[in-house]
Amino acid sequence: MAAEDQAPRTKPHPDKSKKRKKPKKDKWGQPFSVAAAEEPLVEPEQEPPAEDVEAAAEAEETAAAAEGYEPGKVVASGLPYTMTEVEIRKLFEWYGPLRSVQLSRFPDSGNFRGLAFVCFESDEVAIKSLELDGFKIGNRFMRVERCRVTASSNRKRKAEFQADPDKSEGCLSAYVGNLSWNVTEKDLQDFFKSSKIASIRFAIDKRTGGFRGFCHVDFQDDESLEKAIGMNQSELQGRPVKIAYSVSNRG
């Protein structure tokens, strides 16, 4: 008998050679490829809850204040006198969104003095912008450093949480805050055109010579003062202006 006749004869399964492996499925019951199966499943990123974002921002501000710095704020000095606010914004916005840019100017001429305060929406971004320290613009090297907390900034921060002061006897002055850095005396005279103004006193930073964003307006009579107080939160140059009775320790 031939050797092949002695081998056990087993009938192959009719579909064995054509049988396909059952496709693997993910946890949602959908099939995925072998290549995909070899890679770990990555869940899509989700934005953190708003509460977490606010808590993180508060933590940043607390940490910055503890170190003696204004949260999210840097000082840029050594800038060319010909540089504009638009150019400064463009330079720093590369690192992240800004809250404000304040240019320090010479009191007599009003010309830019090469010093600017840049406030970011995040203290983390402000720290990253310190990379610009030593950056050359034209023939000058700019200096960028974190803005230190001053006594005036502490008073301003505390005042934000205080109620508006009551009118004192004989008061004819109003505190006018949240003003644009570019506001002029004429702008304020036009703003309070229905009142009789005696004088306007702009608040100037003694260290930098820059405008601090608020002023005191003295009126000629009580009626003019009350008209001005009634304009609280009215808009001037795109900003809601804070107007309250002036107190002796302000300014």
Side-chain angles (χ1 to χ4, degrees), residues 88-137:
I88 295 173
R89 281 183 174 274
K90 186 177 180 180
L91 179 63
F92 282 91
E93 279 178 344
W94 190 88
Y95 290 92
L98 306 179
R99 286 183 179 175
S100 64
V101 175
Q102 177 188 359
L103 274 60
S104 179
R105 301 179 183 277
F106 292 106
D108 53 348
S109 64
N111 295 330
F112 179 47
R113 60 188 299 169
L115 178 72
F117 297 89
V118 182
C119 189
F120 292 87
E121 292 187 358
S122 165
D123 192 58
E124 180 182 1
V125 176
I127 294 174
K128 288 182 180 179
S129 74
L130 298 179
E131 295 175 0
L132 286 172
D133 187 36
F135 184 75
K136 187 175 183 180
I137 303 179

Side-chain angles (χ1 to χ4, degrees), residues 9 11 64 67 91 140-141 182-183 198 220 226 231:
R9 296 182 178 181
K11 188 177 181 181
E67 296 175 1
L91 179 63
R140 306 190 70 178
F141 292 91
N182 300 318
V183 73
Q220 295 182 15
E226 293 303 325
M231 295 175 64

Side-chain angles (χ1 to χ4, degrees), residues 11-27:
K11 188 177 181 181
H13 191 282
D15 298 328
K16 188 174 182 179
S17 60
K18 298 181 180 180
K19 185 177 180 180
R20 297 180 179 178
K21 292 183 179 180
K22 187 176 180 180
K24 295 182 180 181
K25 296 182 179 181
D26 57 24
K27 65 180 182 180

Side-chain angles (χ1 to χ4, degrees), residues 174-180 213-215 234 239-244 250:
Y175 164 86
V176 183
N178 195 35
L179 295 172
S180 167
F214 69 92
C215 70
S234 296
R239 290 171 173 245
V241 178
K242 173 68 176 178
I243 307 173
R250 285 195 178 185

Side-chain angles (χ1 to χ4, degrees), residues 102-242:
Q102 177 188 359
L103 274 60
S104 179
R105 301 179 183 277
F106 292 106
D108 53 348
S109 64
N111 295 330
F112 179 47
R113 60 188 299 169
L115 178 72
F117 297 89
V118 182
C119 189
F120 292 87
E121 292 187 358
S122 165
D123 192 58
E124 180 182 1
V125 176
I127 294 174
K128 288 182 180 179
S129 74
L130 298 179
E131 295 175 0
L132 286 172
D133 187 36
F135 184 75
K136 187 175 183 180
I137 303 179
N139 59 352
R140 306 190 70 178
F141 292 91
M142 67 184 295
R143 178 78 185 274
V144 181
E145 55 189 334
R146 299 183 72 181
C147 184
R148 292 193 172 275
V149 175
T150 62
S152 61
S153 61
N154 278 334
R155 288 196 300 268
K156 180 180 178 182
R157 188 176 297 276
K158 291 179 181 178
E160 291 176 352
F161 298 96
Q162 295 176 349
D164 291 343
D166 294 328
K167 183 180 181 181
S168 60
E169 185 178 356
C171 175
L172 289 177
S173 299
Y175 164 86
V176 183
N178 195 35
L179 295 172
S180 167
W181 305 119
N182 300 318
V183 73
T184 64
E185 184 171 328
K186 184 179 184 305
D187 293 330
L188 290 169
Q189 289 174 344
D190 292 340
F191 183 67
F192 293 114
K193 60 184 179 181
S194 60
S195 297
K196 298 177 181 179
I197 296 176
S199 64
I200 298 175
R201 295 171 285 128
F202 288 96
I204 303 298
D205 191 306
K206 294 179 180 179
R207 182 174 65 88
T208 65
F211 177 45
R212 292 170 58 188
F214 69 92
C215 70
H216 290 84
V217 180
D218 301 320
F219 295 92
Q220 295 182 15
D221 51 56
D222 187 71
E223 182 182 356
S224 295
L225 173 63
E226 293 303 325
K227 286 182 179 180
I229 295 297
M231 295 175 64
N232 183 36
Q233 298 302 317
S234 296
E235 189 173 294
L236 175 61
Q237 295 185 353
R239 290 171 173 245
V241 178
K242 173 68 176 178

